[in-house]
Amino acid sequence: MIISTNVQELQNVQKAVERLRMERPAQFQQFKNIIELTRQLQYGFQYLGCLLMDESISEFQPKVEDSYVQSIFQREVNELKKAHAFDQVRELLAKYKDVSYDHICKIVLGKELDMLVGPTVVR
């Protein structure tokens, strides 16, 4: 999937992420933790976003060789979805879906906005 973002869109996402961090620090940390787990497992952030938003994952599903690891990952995703105030994370993801779940996750991790501007292939 090819997306293209501009600085203004990314700044809006960054402000929304910062609001989440300030207003719901525990929820923000849980969201950030699952993003870091996704990165450690080398799964795509777009895959994580689709899981959290109950969207089709077929286009982004990773090739998983260890079903135990996948089950742990799925359990962590489900815990985040059941958490109090998950609606704040869901709202953030829904509002900025066009920017891509990939970019939203990278902003949560502190990636520089300049590195995300322009056309990008998201897998």
Side-chain angles (χ1 to χ4, degrees):
M1 174 170 94
I2 298 176
I3 59 155
S4 184
T5 56
N6 64 48
V7 173
Q8 185 61 49
E9 291 172 320
L10 296 170
Q11 287 173 338
N12 291 340
V13 173
Q14 189 175 46
K15 288 175 188 172
V17 166
E18 185 59 25
R19 262 193 316 276
L20 177 65
R21 189 181 72 74
M22 297 300 288
E23 293 173 6
R24 304 279 187 179
Q27 192 66 33
F28 172 81
Q29 190 59 51
Q30 192 175 12
F31 182 40
K32 186 176 179 184
N33 289 347
I34 194 72
I35 292 170
E36 289 174 346
L37 179 61
T38 303
R39 182 179 62 188
Q40 288 295 317
L41 294 173
Q42 298 181 358
Y43 295 171
F45 294 136
Q46 204 66 21
Y47 171 66
L48 172 63
C50 290
L51 283 175
L52 291 173
M53 297 300 285
D54 297 320
E55 298 173 357
S56 172
I57 58 170
S58 60
E59 186 179 346
F60 306 106
Q61 190 165 9
K63 305 262 187 276
V64 179
E65 295 186 21
D66 189 339
S67 60
Y68 176 69
V69 171
Q70 178 64 26
S71 70
I72 292 172
F73 178 76
Q74 188 63 49
R75 184 183 71 215
E76 291 298 316
V77 168
N78 289 337
E79 284 197 25
L80 174 62
K81 289 169 72 171
K82 289 182 209 171
H84 179 67
F86 174 68
D87 58 324
Q88 298 283 332
V89 172
R90 185 180 271 286
E91 183 180 310
L92 172 83
L93 292 171
K95 185 172 183 177
Y96 297 105
K97 179 180 180 177
D98 291 341
V99 173
S100 83
Y101 300 138
D102 184 74
H103 282 13
I104 294 168
C105 291
K106 288 176 180 175
I107 289 170
V108 169
L109 292 175
K111 182 100 172 176
E112 293 293 323
L113 299 185
D114 294 344
M115 303 301 290
L116 304 174
V117 174
T120 306
V121 176
V122 175
R123 293 181 229 149

